[in-house]
Amino acid sequence: MDVLKITPRGYCHGVVDAIRIAKHVGEESKGPVHMLGLLVHNTHVTDEMQEHGVKLVDAPDRMAGLDKIKEGTVIFTAHGVSPAVKEKAAAMGLNSVDATCSDVIRTHDLIDRLVADGYEVVYIGLRGHPEPEGAMGHGPGKVHLVQEAADIDSLRISSEKVAVTCQTTLSVWDTDDLIEKVKARYPQAEVHNEICSATQERQEAAVEAAKEVDLVIVVGSARSSNSKRLVEVVEKKGGKPAYLIDSLEEIRPEWFRGVKRVGVTSGASTPSQLTRKVVEYLQELEAPA
Ligand code: SF4
């Protein structure tokens, strides 16, 4: 099989930093070390972190996660947390280590400034994902989560000052329609697009590569927002089929019937050795007739 390795792909700077911080803290700390949720959305990475002494605390939200920790160190993941979570960790006497990505911190700072200036913020993001949870905690009652068009119809905003921003790992193709709808309802709304450059660049490369291949394999976890967006943009904007796989074992040979050339990319939290194994497997694969 002819394989096009799509670049850029794989680890972004936020993931590299979070892994470096967690490994260091796991190896150097005296007491127990916990990551408050998946450090990054890839189970291979979080399994590896546990080998470095960092225990996973999984819970429906970060506050509930803190309740499961008795002592020691807590690492806030790359997705960021709300100020209330930081305050609670401090009040519990935990040693806090912040592995929030600098791009997520930029969004938190933006929300802080907007709310202090009297704005209400429409935040486009995914319900139940930790990044919106942390971002919304920067303006309780002033930041409104929108995931789909119906959420915009039910918005109740009292301030004249309205701003729109978004989760870092969405795609412009997802957010554009929602932003237009918010603008139709609140024409004065200021738009602050916070999709990070790592996400944007990987998506643009995947859409461009889709022109040259018959299908695209995205290596990444089903819990990874940016990996799922890669599949969507290839299908919607690139016009080619795409499959998300967490590991080599999930590949189905029948996907490749009649396929001459396949593109491979990976999410921002996918270890490169996983992607390399997939590329090597596909290079050896004879496409079924
Ligand atoms: Fe940071 Fe973007 Fe990577 Fe998320 S995908 S960790 S926001 S660089």
mmCIF file of all heavy atoms in Angstrom, residues 102-149:
data_model
loop_
_atom_site.group_PDB
_atom_site.id
_atom_site.type_symbol
_atom_site.label_atom_id
_atom_site.label_comp_id
_atom_site.label_asym_id
_atom_site.label_seq_id
_atom_site.Cartn_x
_atom_site.Cartn_y
_atom_site.Cartn_z
ATOM 1 N N SER A 102 -0.327 26.124 27.531
ATOM 2 C CA SER A 102 -0.272 27.595 27.475
ATOM 3 C C SER A 102 -1.386 28.164 26.588
ATOM 4 O O SER A 102 -1.864 29.275 26.821
ATOM 5 C CB SER A 102 1.103 28.053 26.976
ATOM 6 O OG SER A 102 1.387 27.451 25.729
ATOM 7 N N ASP A 103 -1.826 27.407 25.593
ATOM 8 C CA ASP A 103 -2.910 27.909 24.731
ATOM 9 C C ASP A 103 -4.240 27.930 25.477
ATOM 10 O O ASP A 103 -5.086 28.791 25.246
ATOM 11 C CB ASP A 103 -3.042 27.034 23.478
ATOM 12 C CG ASP A 103 -1.910 27.273 22.499
ATOM 13 O OD1 ASP A 103 -0.840 27.751 22.930
ATOM 14 O OD2 ASP A 103 -2.071 26.986 21.301
ATOM 15 N N VAL A 104 -4.436 26.962 26.380
ATOM 16 C CA VAL A 104 -5.657 26.942 27.197
ATOM 17 C C VAL A 104 -5.601 28.078 28.220
ATOM 18 O O VAL A 104 -6.609 28.768 28.465
ATOM 19 C CB VAL A 104 -5.832 25.572 27.887
ATOM 20 C CG1 VAL A 104 -7.029 25.581 28.828
ATOM 21 C CG2 VAL A 104 -5.986 24.467 26.842
ATOM 22 N N ILE A 105 -4.430 28.311 28.781
ATOM 23 C CA ILE A 105 -4.276 29.421 29.740
ATOM 24 C C ILE A 105 -4.621 30.743 29.048
ATOM 25 O O ILE A 105 -5.259 31.619 29.633
ATOM 26 C CB ILE A 105 -2.830 29.463 30.308
ATOM 27 C CG1 ILE A 105 -2.611 28.244 31.205
ATOM 28 C CG2 ILE A 105 -2.568 30.752 31.079
ATOM 29 C CD1 ILE A 105 -1.178 28.061 31.677
ATOM 30 N N ARG A 106 -4.226 30.878 27.782
ATOM 31 C CA ARG A 106 -4.547 32.119 27.045
ATOM 32 C C ARG A 106 -6.062 32.320 26.979
ATOM 33 O O ARG A 106 -6.560 33.420 27.146
ATOM 34 C CB ARG A 106 -3.956 32.019 25.628
ATOM 35 C CG ARG A 106 -3.898 33.346 24.897
ATOM 36 C CD ARG A 106 -3.433 33.156 23.477
ATOM 37 N NE ARG A 106 -4.325 32.222 22.780
ATOM 38 C CZ ARG A 106 -4.004 31.539 21.689
ATOM 39 N NH1 ARG A 106 -2.817 31.667 21.168
ATOM 40 N NH2 ARG A 106 -4.874 30.719 21.128
ATOM 41 N N THR A 107 -6.808 31.224 26.742
ATOM 42 C CA THR A 107 -8.276 31.338 26.701
ATOM 43 C C THR A 107 -8.814 31.713 28.083
ATOM 44 O O THR A 107 -9.717 32.546 28.193
ATOM 45 C CB THR A 107 -8.916 30.000 26.246
ATOM 46 O OG1 THR A 107 -8.264 29.571 25.069
ATOM 47 C CG2 THR A 107 -10.390 30.164 25.982
ATOM 48 N N HIS A 108 -8.251 31.104 29.143
ATOM 49 C CA HIS A 108 -8.693 31.453 30.508
ATOM 50 C C HIS A 108 -8.459 32.946 30.761
ATOM 51 O O HIS A 108 -9.330 33.629 31.315
ATOM 52 C CB HIS A 108 -7.912 30.640 31.547
ATOM 53 C CG HIS A 108 -8.265 29.175 31.557
ATOM 54 N ND1 HIS A 108 -7.646 28.264 32.382
ATOM 55 C CD2 HIS A 108 -9.181 28.462 30.852
ATOM 56 C CE1 HIS A 108 -8.165 27.059 32.186
ATOM 57 N NE2 HIS A 108 -9.084 27.154 31.250
ATOM 58 N N ASP A 109 -7.290 33.433 30.370
ATOM 59 C CA ASP A 109 -6.976 34.858 30.598
ATOM 60 C C ASP A 109 -7.957 35.744 29.824
ATOM 61 O O ASP A 109 -8.395 36.779 30.322
ATOM 62 C CB ASP A 109 -5.537 35.165 30.159
ATOM 63 C CG ASP A 109 -4.503 34.495 31.068
ATOM 64 O OD1 ASP A 109 -4.893 34.030 32.155
ATOM 65 O OD2 ASP A 109 -3.326 34.420 30.665
ATOM 66 N N LEU A 110 -8.275 35.324 28.607
ATOM 67 C CA LEU A 110 -9.232 36.089 27.793
ATOM 68 C C LEU A 110 -10.591 36.157 28.506
ATOM 69 O O LEU A 110 -11.191 37.237 28.615
ATOM 70 C CB LEU A 110 -9.384 35.398 26.418
ATOM 71 C CG LEU A 110 -10.521 35.906 25.542
ATOM 72 C CD1 LEU A 110 -10.206 37.304 25.006
ATOM 73 C CD2 LEU A 110 -10.788 34.941 24.376
ATOM 74 N N ILE A 111 -11.060 35.013 28.982
ATOM 75 C CA ILE A 111 -12.368 34.987 29.658
ATOM 76 C C ILE A 111 -12.323 35.857 30.922
ATOM 77 O O ILE A 111 -13.256 36.629 31.188
ATOM 78 C CB ILE A 111 -12.781 33.528 29.976
ATOM 79 C CG1 ILE A 111 -13.050 32.767 28.675
ATOM 80 C CG2 ILE A 111 -14.019 33.492 30.880
ATOM 81 C CD1 ILE A 111 -13.277 31.267 28.848
ATOM 82 N N ASP A 112 -11.232 35.755 31.678
ATOM 83 C CA ASP A 112 -11.092 36.591 32.888
ATOM 84 C C ASP A 112 -11.239 38.074 32.526
ATOM 85 O O ASP A 112 -11.958 38.814 33.197
ATOM 86 C CB ASP A 112 -9.713 36.376 33.546
ATOM 87 C CG ASP A 112 -9.584 35.013 34.215
ATOM 88 O OD1 ASP A 112 -10.618 34.359 34.446
ATOM 89 O OD2 ASP A 112 -8.432 34.610 34.494
ATOM 90 N N ARG A 113 -10.547 38.496 31.446
ATOM 91 C CA ARG A 113 -10.581 39.917 31.064
ATOM 92 C C ARG A 113 -11.987 40.316 30.619
ATOM 93 O O ARG A 113 -12.496 41.365 30.991
ATOM 94 C CB ARG A 113 -9.603 40.166 29.890
ATOM 95 C CG ARG A 113 -8.149 40.261 30.294
ATOM 96 C CD ARG A 113 -7.312 40.940 29.206
ATOM 97 N NE ARG A 113 -7.466 40.340 27.893
ATOM 98 C CZ ARG A 113 -6.796 39.263 27.461
ATOM 99 N NH1 ARG A 113 -5.935 38.665 28.266
ATOM 100 N NH2 ARG A 113 -6.983 38.796 26.245
ATOM 101 N N LEU A 114 -12.611 39.461 29.806
ATOM 102 C CA LEU A 114 -13.938 39.787 29.285
ATOM 103 C C LEU A 114 -14.956 39.897 30.425
ATOM 104 O O LEU A 114 -15.738 40.862 30.479
ATOM 105 C CB LEU A 114 -14.390 38.718 28.280
ATOM 106 C CG LEU A 114 -13.661 38.703 26.934
ATOM 107 C CD1 LEU A 114 -13.959 37.403 26.171
ATOM 108 C CD2 LEU A 114 -14.071 39.913 26.083
ATOM 109 N N VAL A 115 -14.935 38.934 31.328
ATOM 110 C CA VAL A 115 -15.912 38.932 32.430
ATOM 111 C C VAL A 115 -15.675 40.154 33.334
ATOM 112 O O VAL A 115 -16.624 40.831 33.738
ATOM 113 C CB VAL A 115 -15.843 37.601 33.216
ATOM 114 C CG1 VAL A 115 -16.674 37.664 34.483
ATOM 115 C CG2 VAL A 115 -16.330 36.445 32.326
ATOM 116 N N ALA A 116 -14.403 40.465 33.596
ATOM 117 C CA ALA A 116 -14.093 41.638 34.434
ATOM 118 C C ALA A 116 -14.579 42.916 33.765
ATOM 119 O O ALA A 116 -14.920 43.897 34.428
ATOM 120 C CB ALA A 116 -12.588 41.710 34.687
ATOM 121 N N ASP A 117 -14.652 42.888 32.438
ATOM 122 C CA ASP A 117 -15.066 44.070 31.681
ATOM 123 C C ASP A 117 -16.582 44.098 31.450
ATOM 124 O O ASP A 117 -17.076 44.889 30.653
ATOM 125 C CB ASP A 117 -14.320 44.053 30.335
ATOM 126 C CG ASP A 117 -14.093 45.449 29.801
ATOM 127 O OD1 ASP A 117 -14.271 46.410 30.570
ATOM 128 O OD2 ASP A 117 -13.767 45.572 28.600
ATOM 129 N N GLY A 118 -17.314 43.185 32.079
ATOM 130 C CA GLY A 118 -18.780 43.219 32.005
ATOM 131 C C GLY A 118 -19.394 42.397 30.876
ATOM 132 O O GLY A 118 -20.594 42.483 30.622
ATOM 133 N N TYR A 119 -18.591 41.587 30.201
ATOM 134 C CA TYR A 119 -19.117 40.753 29.102
ATOM 135 C C TYR A 119 -19.751 39.475 29.633
ATOM 136 O O TYR A 119 -19.358 38.968 30.685
ATOM 137 C CB TYR A 119 -17.989 40.335 28.152
ATOM 138 C CG TYR A 119 -17.538 41.416 27.202
ATOM 139 C CD1 TYR A 119 -16.671 42.426 27.645
ATOM 140 C CD2 TYR A 119 -17.952 41.431 25.874
ATOM 141 C CE1 TYR A 119 -16.249 43.424 26.788
ATOM 142 C CE2 TYR A 119 -17.520 42.428 25.008
ATOM 143 C CZ TYR A 119 -16.674 43.420 25.470
ATOM 144 O OH TYR A 119 -16.247 44.403 24.621
ATOM 145 N N GLU A 120 -20.710 38.959 28.861
ATOM 146 C CA GLU A 120 -21.093 37.550 29.013
ATOM 147 C C GLU A 120 -20.500 36.827 27.808
ATOM 148 O O GLU A 120 -20.436 37.376 26.702
ATOM 149 C CB GLU A 120 -22.612 37.403 29.091
ATOM 150 C CG GLU A 120 -23.154 37.967 30.412
ATOM 151 C CD GLU A 120 -24.549 37.516 30.759
ATOM 152 O OE1 GLU A 120 -24.869 36.334 30.554
ATOM 153 O OE2 GLU A 120 -25.308 38.370 31.243
ATOM 154 N N VAL A 121 -20.049 35.625 28.040
ATOM 155 C CA VAL A 121 -19.266 34.916 27.021
ATOM 156 C C VAL A 121 -20.014 33.675 26.552
ATOM 157 O O VAL A 121 -20.431 32.849 27.369
ATOM 158 C CB VAL A 121 -17.885 34.503 27.599
ATOM 159 C CG1 VAL A 121 -17.065 33.763 26.552
ATOM 160 C CG2 VAL A 121 -17.133 35.726 28.121
ATOM 161 N N VAL A 122 -20.186 33.568 25.246
ATOM 162 C CA VAL A 122 -20.720 32.337 24.659
ATOM 163 C C VAL A 122 -19.507 31.477 24.314
ATOM 164 O O VAL A 122 -18.641 31.880 23.531
ATOM 165 C CB VAL A 122 -21.546 32.634 23.394
ATOM 166 C CG1 VAL A 122 -22.046 31.334 22.763
ATOM 167 C CG2 VAL A 122 -22.704 33.571 23.713
ATOM 168 N N TYR A 123 -19.442 30.309 24.940
ATOM 169 C CA TYR A 123 -18.265 29.440 24.769
ATOM 170 C C TYR A 123 -18.701 28.216 23.965
ATOM 171 O O TYR A 123 -19.517 27.406 24.421
ATOM 172 C CB TYR A 123 -17.740 29.024 26.151
ATOM 173 C CG TYR A 123 -16.497 28.174 26.117
ATOM 174 C CD1 TYR A 123 -15.233 28.738 26.235
ATOM 175 C CD2 TYR A 123 -16.588 26.789 25.981
ATOM 176 C CE1 TYR A 123 -14.088 27.940 26.218
ATOM 177 C CE2 TYR A 123 -15.451 25.994 25.954
ATOM 178 C CZ TYR A 123 -14.212 26.577 26.074
ATOM 179 O OH TYR A 123 -13.078 25.792 26.055
ATOM 180 N N ILE A 124 -18.162 28.068 22.775
ATOM 181 C CA ILE A 124 -18.505 26.914 21.939
ATOM 182 C C ILE A 124 -17.580 25.761 22.317
ATOM 183 O O ILE A 124 -16.347 25.873 22.225
ATOM 184 C CB ILE A 124 -18.362 27.265 20.444
ATOM 185 C CG1 ILE A 124 -19.288 28.440 20.092
ATOM 186 C CG2 ILE A 124 -18.685 26.043 19.570
ATOM 187 C CD1 ILE A 124 -19.092 28.983 18.691
ATOM 188 N N GLY A 125 -18.174 24.677 22.788
ATOM 189 C CA GLY A 125 -17.351 23.558 23.244
ATOM 190 C C GLY A 125 -18.185 22.311 23.428
ATOM 191 O O GLY A 125 -19.391 22.309 23.156
ATOM 192 N N LEU A 126 -17.529 21.276 23.894
ATOM 193 C CA LEU A 126 -18.173 19.966 24.009
ATOM 194 C C LEU A 126 -18.597 19.707 25.447
ATOM 195 O O LEU A 126 -17.757 19.758 26.356
ATOM 196 C CB LEU A 126 -17.200 18.875 23.547
ATOM 197 C CG LEU A 126 -16.658 19.055 22.131
ATOM 198 C CD1 LEU A 126 -15.562 18.031 21.855
ATOM 199 C CD2 LEU A 126 -17.777 18.920 21.114
ATOM 200 N N ARG A 127 -19.870 19.448 25.621
ATOM 201 C CA ARG A 127 -20.410 19.145 26.949
ATOM 202 C C ARG A 127 -19.711 17.909 27.532
ATOM 203 O O ARG A 127 -19.526 16.915 26.830
ATOM 204 C CB ARG A 127 -21.908 18.863 26.787
ATOM 205 C CG ARG A 127 -22.737 19.470 27.860
ATOM 206 C CD ARG A 127 -24.217 19.471 27.478
ATOM 207 N NE ARG A 127 -24.640 20.817 27.146
ATOM 208 C CZ ARG A 127 -25.137 21.194 25.983
ATOM 209 N NH1 ARG A 127 -25.304 20.340 25.024
ATOM 210 N NH2 ARG A 127 -25.464 22.446 25.788
ATOM 211 N N GLY A 128 -19.305 17.989 28.795
ATOM 212 C CA GLY A 128 -18.687 16.830 29.443
ATOM 213 C C GLY A 128 -17.183 16.743 29.222
ATOM 214 O O GLY A 128 -16.521 15.901 29.806
ATOM 215 N N HIS A 129 -16.623 17.614 28.370
ATOM 216 C CA HIS A 129 -15.172 17.615 28.142
ATOM 217 C C HIS A 129 -14.522 18.505 29.208
ATOM 218 O O HIS A 129 -15.087 19.531 29.584
ATOM 219 C CB HIS A 129 -14.892 18.142 26.727
ATOM 220 C CG HIS A 129 -13.469 17.991 26.280
ATOM 221 N ND1 HIS A 129 -12.464 18.819 26.732
ATOM 222 C CD2 HIS A 129 -12.875 17.099 25.440
ATOM 223 C CE1 HIS A 129 -11.314 18.443 26.172
ATOM 224 N NE2 HIS A 129 -11.542 17.407 25.385
ATOM 225 N N PRO A 130 -13.330 18.112 29.702
ATOM 226 C CA PRO A 130 -12.746 18.901 30.797
ATOM 227 C C PRO A 130 -12.342 20.327 30.427
ATOM 228 O O PRO A 130 -12.309 21.202 31.289
ATOM 229 C CB PRO A 130 -11.519 18.081 31.213
ATOM 230 C CG PRO A 130 -11.241 17.165 30.066
ATOM 231 C CD PRO A 130 -12.549 16.912 29.398
ATOM 232 N N GLU A 131 -12.016 20.567 29.144
ATOM 233 C CA GLU A 131 -11.568 21.928 28.818
ATOM 234 C C GLU A 131 -12.685 22.960 29.004
ATOM 235 O O GLU A 131 -12.462 23.989 29.653
ATOM 236 C CB GLU A 131 -10.976 21.979 27.400
ATOM 237 C CG GLU A 131 -10.353 23.341 27.117
ATOM 238 C CD GLU A 131 -9.799 23.477 25.709
ATOM 239 O OE1 GLU A 131 -9.351 22.475 25.127
ATOM 240 O OE2 GLU A 131 -9.810 24.608 25.193
ATOM 241 N N PRO A 132 -13.901 22.729 28.477
ATOM 242 C CA PRO A 132 -14.991 23.680 28.759
ATOM 243 C C PRO A 132 -15.293 23.801 30.255
ATOM 244 O O PRO A 132 -15.590 24.890 30.738
ATOM 245 C CB PRO A 132 -16.190 23.087 28.004
ATOM 246 C CG PRO A 132 -15.585 22.294 26.911
ATOM 247 C CD PRO A 132 -14.310 21.741 27.469
ATOM 248 N N GLU A 133 -15.190 22.677 30.976
ATOM 249 C CA GLU A 133 -15.454 22.726 32.425
ATOM 250 C C GLU A 133 -14.520 23.748 33.091
ATOM 251 O O GLU A 133 -14.962 24.595 33.872
ATOM 252 C CB GLU A 133 -15.247 21.331 33.028
ATOM 253 C CG GLU A 133 -15.508 21.272 34.521
ATOM 254 C CD GLU A 133 -14.973 19.975 35.164
ATOM 255 O OE1 GLU A 133 -15.002 18.919 34.501
ATOM 256 O OE2 GLU A 133 -14.537 20.042 36.319
ATOM 257 N N GLY A 134 -13.237 23.663 32.756
ATOM 258 C CA GLY A 134 -12.268 24.595 33.344
ATOM 259 C C GLY A 134 -12.507 26.024 32.879
ATOM 260 O O GLY A 134 -12.485 26.969 33.671
ATOM 261 N N ALA A 135 -12.763 26.194 31.584
ATOM 262 C CA ALA A 135 -12.948 27.543 31.024
ATOM 263 C C ALA A 135 -14.183 28.210 31.616
ATOM 264 O O ALA A 135 -14.164 29.394 31.974
ATOM 265 C CB ALA A 135 -13.059 27.450 29.500
ATOM 266 N N MET A 136 -15.269 27.455 31.737
ATOM 267 C CA MET A 136 -16.512 28.041 32.251
ATOM 268 C C MET A 136 -16.365 28.449 33.710
ATOM 269 O O MET A 136 -17.008 29.405 34.165
ATOM 270 C CB MET A 136 -17.660 27.062 32.070
ATOM 271 C CG MET A 136 -18.003 26.917 30.597
ATOM 272 S SD MET A 136 -19.250 25.708 30.358
ATOM 273 C CE MET A 136 -20.633 26.526 31.110
ATOM 274 N N GLY A 137 -15.495 27.763 34.426
ATOM 275 C CA GLY A 137 -15.256 28.110 35.827
ATOM 276 C C GLY A 137 -14.556 29.444 35.981
ATOM 277 O O GLY A 137 -14.421 29.961 37.086
ATOM 278 N N HIS A 138 -14.079 30.029 34.866
ATOM 279 C CA HIS A 138 -13.453 31.351 34.935
ATOM 280 C C HIS A 138 -14.484 32.475 34.912
ATOM 281 O O HIS A 138 -14.108 33.646 35.016
ATOM 282 C CB HIS A 138 -12.423 31.510 33.805
ATOM 283 C CG HIS A 138 -11.123 30.879 34.173
ATOM 284 N ND1 HIS A 138 -10.015 31.593 34.568
ATOM 285 C CD2 HIS A 138 -10.796 29.573 34.272
ATOM 286 C CE1 HIS A 138 -9.045 30.757 34.881
ATOM 287 N NE2 HIS A 138 -9.481 29.516 34.706
ATOM 288 N N GLY A 139 -15.748 32.138 34.775
ATOM 289 C CA GLY A 139 -16.800 33.168 34.849
ATOM 290 C C GLY A 139 -18.119 32.511 35.192
ATOM 291 O O GLY A 139 -19.033 32.503 34.351
ATOM 292 N N PRO A 140 -18.228 31.948 36.398
ATOM 293 C CA PRO A 140 -19.462 31.231 36.737
ATOM 294 C C PRO A 140 -20.697 32.109 36.508
ATOM 295 O O PRO A 140 -20.745 33.250 36.957
ATOM 296 C CB PRO A 140 -19.278 30.904 38.229
ATOM 297 C CG PRO A 140 -17.802 30.930 38.449
ATOM 298 C CD PRO A 140 -17.261 31.973 37.514
ATOM 299 N N GLY A 141 -21.645 31.571 35.761
ATOM 300 C CA GLY A 141 -22.878 32.315 35.465
ATOM 301 C C GLY A 141 -22.730 33.306 34.318
ATOM 302 O O GLY A 141 -23.707 33.845 33.816
ATOM 303 N N LYS A 142 -21.494 33.584 33.912
ATOM 304 C CA LYS A 142 -21.245 34.569 32.843
ATOM 305 C C LYS A 142 -20.739 33.905 31.560
ATOM 306 O O LYS A 142 -20.599 34.557 30.532
ATOM 307 C CB LYS A 142 -20.180 35.588 33.294
ATOM 308 C CG LYS A 142 -20.544 36.342 34.549
ATOM 309 C CD LYS A 142 -21.673 37.319 34.294
ATOM 310 C CE LYS A 142 -22.016 38.107 35.546
ATOM 311 N NZ LYS A 142 -23.292 38.820 35.405
ATOM 312 N N VAL A 143 -20.408 32.628 31.647
ATOM 313 C CA VAL A 143 -19.913 31.906 30.465
ATOM 314 C C VAL A 143 -20.934 30.823 30.126
ATOM 315 O O VAL A 143 -21.279 29.998 30.976
ATOM 316 C CB VAL A 143 -18.529 31.264 30.728
ATOM 317 C CG1 VAL A 143 -17.985 30.632 29.450
ATOM 318 C CG2 VAL A 143 -17.552 32.303 31.257
ATOM 319 N N HIS A 144 -21.444 30.854 28.893
ATOM 320 C CA HIS A 144 -22.545 29.975 28.501
ATOM 321 C C HIS A 144 -22.040 28.973 27.467
ATOM 322 O O HIS A 144 -21.543 29.364 26.410
ATOM 323 C CB HIS A 144 -23.688 30.805 27.901
ATOM 324 C CG HIS A 144 -24.094 31.954 28.790
ATOM 325 N ND1 HIS A 144 -25.028 31.840 29.787
ATOM 326 C CD2 HIS A 144 -23.653 33.243 28.835
ATOM 327 C CE1 HIS A 144 -25.170 32.998 30.409
ATOM 328 N NE2 HIS A 144 -24.340 33.875 29.851
ATOM 329 N N LEU A 145 -22.203 27.694 27.787
ATOM 330 C CA LEU A 145 -21.708 26.651 26.887
ATOM 331 C C LEU A 145 -22.692 26.408 25.744
ATOM 332 O O LEU A 145 -23.889 26.217 25.966
ATOM 333 C CB LEU A 145 -21.500 25.349 27.665
ATOM 334 C CG LEU A 145 -20.953 24.168 26.867
ATOM 335 C CD1 LEU A 145 -19.555 24.461 26.322
ATOM 336 C CD2 LEU A 145 -20.912 22.901 27.727
ATOM 337 N N VAL A 146 -22.160 26.430 24.526
ATOM 338 C CA VAL A 146 -22.956 26.135 23.332
ATOM 339 C C VAL A 146 -22.270 24.999 22.598
ATOM 340 O O VAL A 146 -21.091 25.092 22.252
ATOM 341 C CB VAL A 146 -23.052 27.387 22.425
ATOM 342 C CG1 VAL A 146 -23.407 27.017 21.003
ATOM 343 C CG2 VAL A 146 -24.066 28.363 22.982
ATOM 344 N N GLN A 147 -22.996 23.911 22.378
ATOM 345 C CA GLN A 147 -22.433 22.794 21.614
ATOM 346 C C GLN A 147 -23.095 22.673 20.256
ATOM 347 O O GLN A 147 -22.492 22.225 19.292
ATOM 348 C CB GLN A 147 -22.605 21.493 22.407
ATOM 349 C CG GLN A 147 -22.087 20.279 21.671
ATOM 350 C CD GLN A 147 -22.038 19.031 22.534
ATOM 351 O OE1 GLN A 147 -21.533 19.062 23.636
ATOM 352 N NE2 GLN A 147 -22.570 17.937 22.022
ATOM 353 N N GLU A 148 -24.370 23.061 20.205
ATOM 354 C CA GLU A 148 -25.114 22.934 18.933
ATOM 355 C C GLU A 148 -26.075 24.103 18.801
ATOM 356 O O GLU A 148 -26.295 24.855 19.768
ATOM 357 C CB GLU A 148 -25.855 21.598 18.904
ATOM 358 C CG GLU A 148 -26.774 21.418 20.074
ATOM 359 C CD GLU A 148 -27.194 19.967 20.287
ATOM 360 O OE1 GLU A 148 -26.652 19.095 19.605
ATOM 361 O OE2 GLU A 148 -28.071 19.757 21.129
ATOM 362 N N ALA A 149 -26.659 24.223 17.602
ATOM 363 C CA ALA A 149 -27.493 25.392 17.294
ATOM 364 C C ALA A 149 -28.637 25.575 18.293
ATOM 365 O O ALA A 149 -28.951 26.709 18.690
ATOM 366 C CB ALA A 149 -28.039 25.253 15.878
#
